[in-house]
Amino acid sequence: MADILTADDPRYNEMFDVRTEALELGNLVESDMNEEFRILREQGAVRKGSLRSLLKLPLSHERRYSKPREAYTCLSYDACSQAFRDNETFSSQLYLELPGIQALGRTIIEMVGSEHRRYRATLQPMFIKPKAMRWWRERWIDEIVASLVASLRGRSHAELNLQFCARMPVHTVTRGIGIDGEDALSFRQALLKMIGVNRVTPQEQGQGAADVERMLFELIARRRAEPGDDVVSGLLATDLELADGSRRPLTDQEIMANCRLIILAGGGTTWRQLGITLWALMTHPAQFETVKADRSLIGAAIHESVRWNPTDPVFSRLVTADTTLDGHHLPAGVVLDICLGAANRDAARWENPEVYDLHRPYQSHLGFTLGAHQCLGMHVATAEMTVALNALFDNFPNMRLDPDATPPELIGGVDQRGMSAVPVRLD
């Protein structure tokens, strides 16, 4: 494990570069969109048009759904909150119209109502806060962070985006599933090919799908024969409640779909958000010194970064019935882009919302979304970032952005944002 975790492996560069990721997805935006979000929000809480069209970005890179649909965008905190809370009217079944998501198999991401509740209940116990702070930390997070920190000791410089931020979550989530060592990177690389994130041929996409299925089938078979202490073993021991109240074990296909989703999401979002948090702190020196001196503020620093610059600033939903949102009529069948990046800086909710301020009185934000589909792994992600920040502060008290390096920038696509790099001096 330690070798691949700290190795100079080119796959880290291939899979964990924010600009390349956006280019592969075809949605790169070179500029910081927050000022444009503010202008749009002030012009109206709900607007006709997709977020990309309102930002006047090339529509050739618009998300392609299997059916042509008109779009609207909501931008205020109240409107976005209402949309997230009502998953029946603003339905995540829209994901069924995205080929990349469909490739994962039937997962909780596109389920609604009772089906979503019943399937999520098979996973939720392994991702609640006590599990994140004990089971995930003690079994995987602490060891991974310690190994990464050890690999940085004695260096004067580091690029934390690739050498630290990207490596910690991908190995945490794959080890949590039950995939270890070299297989962790091989699995993620195959998974990205499978869903078409990388520009691959149909043959390469098919090979990625075959590799993912083979590795998961083999893992499930091993855990069925000899259970371990990981997510797959937990799912094998869990029964699914059916609509009629009866129960049955999860099928192999259901377990595999869950694993694909967990590794895809868990290995991507935490990487980008940790980089954003480090950048936020190191570009606000007074707050950086304060949080290093008082580690009880780390949670506030993380949540403020998620509010200030969430790594996923927009989610989309299908409007299933004629409805009204913030006084605006939305017809059934349209797509609603929920711009939580704009909502999280709504001046109606936060004072000086454009400012990163870990001392501001806490109010719930939408960085982990809200309602039935609130991020399943939010507590694990928070635990990962908490352990990571504490370890970096303990071992590199003089850590700062490298003044001789190209200044890092917040970049990426409309749907996913992160740091171009996090170059630091450690001495």
Side-chain angles (χ1 to χ4, degrees):
M1 173 63 188
D3 289 343
I4 193 63
L5 177 62
T6 59
D8 186 18
D9 191 304
R11 288 175 294 180
Y12 288 112
N13 293 275
E14 294 167 9
M15 293 189 288
F16 297 103
D17 179 86
V18 178
R19 193 174 194 279
T20 300
E21 179 186 54
L23 284 170
E24 296 285 358
L25 290 168
N27 66 4
L28 178 66
V29 180
E30 298 280 12
S31 61
D32 183 349
M33 296 184 292
N34 285 304
E35 178 61 15
E36 295 167 273
F37 287 168
R38 182 190 64 78
I39 293 169
L40 289 175
R41 187 184 60 245
E42 290 178 355
Q43 291 172 346
V46 180
R47 305 282 305 280
K48 186 171 185 179
S50 68
L51 179 60
R52 193 169 185 93
S53 69
L54 294 174
L55 293 170
K56 297 182 170 54
L57 297 170
L59 297 185
S60 59
H61 295 157
E62 192 85 78
R63 260 187 179 174
R64 289 288 185 264
Y65 299 102
S66 57
K67 298 178 183 178
R69 296 188 183 276
E70 288 190 338
Y72 288 73
T73 300
C74 59
L75 301 122
S76 71
Y77 180 86
D78 286 345
C80 291
S81 298
Q82 182 180 336
F84 277 133
R85 289 184 187 280
D86 184 359
N87 195 230
E88 298 280 352
T89 305
F90 305 100
S91 174
S92 53
Q93 288 181 319
L94 181 64
Y95 285 113
L96 292 170
E97 299 182 19
L98 287 172
I101 298 298
Q102 291 178 48
L104 296 175
R106 182 76 172 151
T107 73
I108 60 172
I109 197 172
E110 71 260 11
M111 295 177 183
V112 297
S114 169
E115 182 186 32
H116 175 264
R117 177 189 60 77
R118 291 182 288 104
Y119 273 88
R120 183 162 174 143
T122 65
L123 283 165
Q124 191 76 59
M126 289 179 282
F127 290 88
I128 59 175
K129 190 172 183 178
K131 276 283 191 179
M133 300 308 293
R134 295 192 188 97
W135 190 54
W136 284 87
R137 274 198 63 169
E138 293 171 3
R139 283 196 54 74
W140 302 295
I141 299 171
D142 287 345
E143 178 187 341
I144 289 168
V145 170
S147 295
L148 288 170
V149 165
S151 74
L152 297 176
R153 288 197 195 103
R155 301 188 185 192
S156 59
H157 301 73
E159 201 290 276
L160 294 182
N161 184 55
L162 280 178
Q163 292 176 279
F164 190 91
C165 300
R167 297 172 189 243
M168 178 197 60
V170 70
H171 287 284
T172 297
V173 73
T174 49
R175 289 185 74 185
I177 292 293
I179 298 172
D180 203 349
E182 170 70 24
D183 287 343
L185 294 189
S186 298
F187 185 90
R188 185 168 183 83
Q189 192 172 49
L191 182 62
L192 293 178
K193 288 180 180 179
M194 170 186 168
I195 66 172
V197 169
N198 304 110
R199 292 176 180 173
V200 294
T201 66
Q203 293 76 17
E204 289 172 322
Q205 192 167 2
Q207 185 60 56
D211 290 342
V212 165
E213 184 160 318
R214 173 184 55 77
M215 293 175 76
L216 287 176
F217 263 135
E218 290 173 356
L219 172 62
I220 291 168
R222 290 196 303 272
R223 291 298 185 264
R224 182 171 281 119
E226 188 175 344
D229 189 15
D230 51 40
V231 172
V232 165
S233 299
L235 290 173
L236 283 167
T238 299
D239 286 341
L240 170 69
E241 179 188 350
L242 302 180
D244 63 4
S246 62
R247 306 183 74 86
R248 65 161 173 81
L250 290 166
T251 67
D252 287 359
Q253 289 295 337
E254 288 167 337
I255 293 172
M256 287 198 297
N258 282 326
C259 292
R260 294 185 194 110
L261 176 62
I262 291 166
I263 291 177
L264 179 66
T269 52
T270 308
W271 148 52
R272 296 192 300 263
Q273 197 67 55
L274 178 57
I276 292 170
T277 305
L278 285 164
W279 173 64
L281 287 170
M282 287 188 285
T283 53
H284 295 79
Q287 295 184 64
F288 190 29
E289 293 304 316
T290 299
V291 77
K292 284 193 291 183
D294 182 359
R295 304 301 175 78
S296 69
L297 294 172
I298 284 180
I302 292 169
H303 275 282
E304 177 66 352
S305 86
V306 178
R307 180 203 69 82
W308 183 62
N309 272 308
T311 184
D312 297 319
V314 61
F315 287 84
S316 300
R317 297 290 188 260
L318 175 64
V319 179
T320 60
D322 288 359
T323 191
T324 300
L325 182 63
D326 198 65
H328 294 262
H329 174 70
L330 300 181
V334 301
V335 170
L336 178 67
D337 285 347
I338 306 173
C339 186
L340 58 93
N344 273 355
R345 294 191 178 201
D346 191 338
R349 184 168 179 81
W350 289 279
E351 185 177 352
N352 298 322
E354 307 298 327
V355 175
Y356 177 85
D357 180 7
L358 64 85
H359 299 291
R360 72 171 67 249
Y362 179 77
Q363 295 194 88
S364 59
H365 55 77
L366 301 180
F368 294 112
T369 76
L370 201 64
H373 281 271
Q374 189 169 45
C375 175
L376 176 73
M378 61 182 288
H379 297 303
V380 174
T382 302
E384 288 178 274
M385 289 189 278
T386 299
V387 174
L389 292 173
N390 269 307
L392 289 171
F393 298 164
D394 285 342
N395 287 273
F396 309 108
N398 298 319
M399 183 177 70
R400 62 209 181 276
L401 285 176
D402 188 343
D404 298 323
T406 301
E409 297 178 289
L410 182 69
I411 60 169
V414 174
D415 305 276
Q416 74 293 330
R417 310 292 285 166
M419 302 310 303
S420 57
V422 186
V424 294
R425 292 285 307 224
L426 298 173
D427 52 3

